[in-house]
């Protein structure tokens, strides 16, 4: 996914940065909304890290999609805290004052930044990643296996190129030069199954600098080095209408390759966004799997 996003021409990015949408009620790069939870911060050297923690019980740490905010997980966090878990939403670099510990981080650098938070916990956590975040979750489990007891992947990217129209919609989701109508259509096509509502916060919160940084980080580390998440138990959830990471390129591959390590859940009526589309089914699948996960 990020390989395509990071390939946007530099001139296009310059245009995106300078573009003004005075006629629109929002711009894609506007903050989407406030994350739920109590804010945790860490500042040392170049690092400016931020996360949001809520609930009590076994902990799930969540990493969002490319260029997206931690607040995408608000509803899922509320479901899980209500079920007796604690949830931490880890903010990506270049969002709301955050910054990685190095200027051009690799995927493993981002994983090590996340592990700074994990080192504050008394027991291992479950890591959860949506879209790009699935790569980071697996990298964290690979680099810091003693701090992770399980991995949850939502809309996990595959090894094959994104279909052209879906890739265009992905790139256009970050583009402030589009009319609000054209931007909504790009987000709808790339991320939502037909007929599903697009919440207003999914029309904001598209952070271009973050997406570029994550794309470069993804390319910096061979996928074989983090692919199996250090052998940790893995729950993989995919929407059957996902155009960016279709099942044949994602969940099917992981299930076939990793066997009993993977619990696979396929949800009809959901696309790449998943979180706002099928919140109850998503929460149910996660709590069912967590209930059987060894401590």
């Amino acid at each position: 996914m990020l390989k395509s996003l990071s390939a946007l021409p530099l001139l296009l990015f310059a245009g995106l940065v300078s573009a003004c949408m005075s006629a629109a009620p929002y711009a894609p790069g506007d903050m989407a909304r406030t994350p739920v939870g109590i804010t945790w911060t860490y500042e040392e050297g170049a690092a400016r890290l931020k996360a949001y923690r809520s609930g009590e019980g076994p902990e799930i740490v969540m990493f969002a999609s490319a260029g997206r905010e931690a607040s995408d997980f608000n509803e899922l966090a509320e479901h899980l805290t209500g079920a007796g878990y604690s949830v931490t939403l880890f903010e990506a670099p270049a969002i709301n004052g955050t910054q990685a510990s190095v200027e051009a981080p690799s995927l493993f650098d981002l994983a090590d930044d996340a592990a700074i938070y994990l080192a504050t916990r008394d027991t291992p956590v479950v890591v959860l990643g949506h879209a790009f975040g699935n790569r980071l979750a697996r990298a964290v489990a690979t680099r810091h296996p003693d701090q992770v007891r399980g991995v949850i992947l939502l809309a996990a990217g595959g090894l094959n190129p994104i279909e052209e129209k879906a890739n265009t919609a992905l790139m256009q989701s970050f583009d402030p030069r589009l009319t609000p109508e054209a931007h909504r259509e790009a987000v709808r096509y790339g991320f939502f199954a037909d007929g599903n509502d697009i919440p207003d916060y999914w029309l904001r919160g598209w952070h271009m600098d973050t997406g570029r940084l994550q794309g470069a980080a993804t390319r910096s580390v061979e996928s074989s080095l983090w692919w199996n998440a250090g052998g940790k138990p893995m729950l993989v959830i995919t929407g059957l209408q996902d155009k960016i990471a279709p099942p044949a390129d994602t969940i099917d591959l992981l299930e076939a390759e990793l066997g009993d390590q993977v619990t696979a859940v396929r949800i009809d009526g959901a696309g790449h966004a998943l979180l706002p589309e099928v919140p109850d089914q998503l929460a149910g699948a996660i709590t069912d799997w967590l209930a059987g996960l060894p401590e």
Side-chain angles (χ1 to χ4, degrees):
M1 172 177 169
L2 267 292
K3 185 178 291 185
S4 300
L5 176 60
S6 60
L8 278 168
L10 292 178
L11 288 176
L12 173 57
F13 272 111
L16 298 181
V17 171
S18 63
C20 175
M21 291 189 67
S22 58
Y26 66 88
D30 291 347
M31 290 297 293
R33 54 181 179 165
T34 301
V36 298
I38 298 171
T39 303
W40 170 87
T41 59
Y42 173 90
E43 296 188 7
E44 184 172 321
R48 300 291 183 270
L49 309 180
K50 191 172 292 187
Y52 309 90
R53 190 172 187 275
S54 56
E56 297 293 335
E59 187 167 358
I60 304 102
V61 179
M62 302 185 178
F63 307 105
S65 178
R68 296 290 304 170
E69 299 171 17
S71 65
D72 280 354
F73 294 117
N74 280 3
E75 289 76 19
L76 181 58
E78 290 168 352
H79 274 286
L80 294 176
T81 56
Y85 295 92
S86 63
V87 175
T88 299
L89 314 181
F90 198 88
E91 197 73 270
I95 297 176
N96 197 20
T98 55
Q99 184 171 295
S101 59
V102 296
E103 183 175 354
S106 70
L107 188 64
F108 283 162
D109 289 327
L110 296 179
D112 292 346
D113 283 354
I116 291 172
Y117 172 77
L118 299 189
T120 70
R121 317 319 299 152
D122 293 330
T123 58
V125 307
V126 171
V127 289
L128 179 154
H130 176 223
F132 163 79
N134 100 84
R135 296 163 168 82
L136 182 52
R138 286 191 267 179
V140 171
T142 299
R143 292 277 282 184
H144 303 278
D146 292 343
Q147 294 173 310
V148 174
R149 66 188 186 99
V151 179
I152 301 173
L153 310 181
L154 311 180
L159 297 178
N160 298 325
I162 302 171
E163 182 272 330
E164 183 177 359
K165 186 175 179 181
N167 186 53
T168 297
L170 166 63
M171 293 189 289
Q172 288 179 336
S173 296
F174 290 84
D175 190 346
R177 301 171 303 175
L178 299 180
T179 65
E181 294 77 14
H183 181 254
R184 175 183 286 273
E185 174 57 22
V187 173
R188 186 205 65 75
Y189 184 86
F191 288 84
F192 288 79
D194 290 347
N196 289 347
D197 292 335
I198 305 174
D200 62 353
Y201 60 86
W202 264 81
L203 299 174
R204 305 184 298 272
W206 297 94
H207 297 278
M208 185 171 45
D209 288 344
T210 301
R212 293 186 70 190
L213 178 150
Q214 291 166 329
T218 296
R219 295 194 309 275
S220 70
V221 178
E222 290 292 331
S223 61
S224 61
L225 298 179
W226 50 261
W227 189 255
N228 75 342
K232 298 295 182 179
M234 188 182 298
L235 172 65
V236 183
I237 306 178
T238 294
L240 292 180
Q241 286 73 46
D242 191 331
K243 302 181 186 74
I244 290 176
D249 293 346
T250 57
I251 193 169
D252 295 355
L253 297 178
L254 285 166
E255 189 176 33
E257 179 180 344
L258 300 181
D260 291 342
Q261 182 186 347
V262 170
T263 299
V265 175
R266 297 164 174 85
I267 300 180
D268 196 14
H272 199 60
L274 265 178
L275 292 156
E277 295 181 283
V278 286
D280 294 341
Q281 289 174 265
L282 202 59
I286 290 171
T287 52
D288 286 349
W289 182 77
L290 289 172
L293 184 66
E295 293 292 337

